[in-house]
Amino acid sequence: MRAVIQRATRGFVRVDDEIVGAIDRPGLVVLLGVAKGDGAEQVKTLVRKIAELRILNDEESVLDTGAPVLMISQFTLYGDTRKGRRPSWSHAAAGPEAEPLFNAVVEGLRDRGIEVATGRFGAMMQVELVNDGPFTVLVEA
């Protein structure tokens, strides 16, 4: 699994001109890609990292502050551009493999008491956020 985690003052995701997920106060926007072969260990690691990373103001985590998380699935994080001009998606998990793992990360965060909003898995989405800092980190699990 690969996650791009952005500290944000607010953010939302829209599908077909409808806002399907939003955070309206400071928190994290997470773009999450699932690789072929990912499983429970990667889910566990990513839930812990997203919940406990001390990347909010005053080096606090979402667990420390009660900040919300906006989670968006993004298979393109596994695009391989080393060869040619067209990315290869061969390392990204297909939807039937990726969706349950994405949902497991969301549920794992919710089980820890974190407010989580999401986009719509597999949909064409428009994502807007105000990156705070700017502050962006890449997490691999």
Side-chain angles (χ1 to χ4, degrees), residues 27-81:
L28 300 178
V29 174
V30 179
L31 308 174
L32 178 64
V34 179
K36 289 179 181 174
D38 281 346
E41 272 308 305
Q42 287 77 22
V43 168
K44 181 179 173 183
T45 298
L46 223 6
V47 167
R48 182 177 51 80
K49 287 288 189 179
I50 294 167
E52 298 176 13
L53 274 176
R54 297 187 169 281
I55 58 176
L56 297 175
N57 291 334
D58 298 324
E59 295 185 9
E60 293 183 304
S61 70
V62 294
L63 274 180
D64 297 330
T65 64
V69 175
L70 176 58
M71 295 280 302
I72 300 152
S73 63
Q74 190 168 353
F75 79 93
T76 60
L77 292 177
Y78 278 99
D80 185 349
T81 61

Side-chain angles (χ1 to χ4, degrees), residues 49-139:
K49 287 288 189 179
I50 294 167
E52 298 176 13
L53 274 176
R54 297 187 169 281
I55 58 176
L56 297 175
N57 291 334
D58 298 324
E59 295 185 9
E60 293 183 304
S61 70
V62 294
L63 274 180
D64 297 330
T65 64
V69 175
L70 176 58
M71 295 280 302
I72 300 152
S73 63
Q74 190 168 353
F75 79 93
T76 60
L77 292 177
Y78 278 99
D80 185 349
T81 61
R82 290 177 288 181
K83 190 174 167 186
R85 296 179 294 159
R86 188 176 311 157
S88 166
W89 314 115
S90 62
H91 297 293
E97 179 184 358
E99 187 172 14
L101 295 173
F102 175 84
N103 290 337
V105 172
V106 170
E107 289 308 312
L109 291 169
R110 288 177 176 157
D111 288 348
R112 294 190 76 174
I114 297 167
E115 176 188 336
V116 182
T118 67
R120 189 171 295 150
F121 191 92
M124 181 62 102
M125 297 176 270
Q126 291 78 48
V127 180
E128 292 187 38
L129 70 137
V130 177
N131 190 308
D132 185 24
F135 197 106
T136 303
V137 294
L138 176 65
V139 175

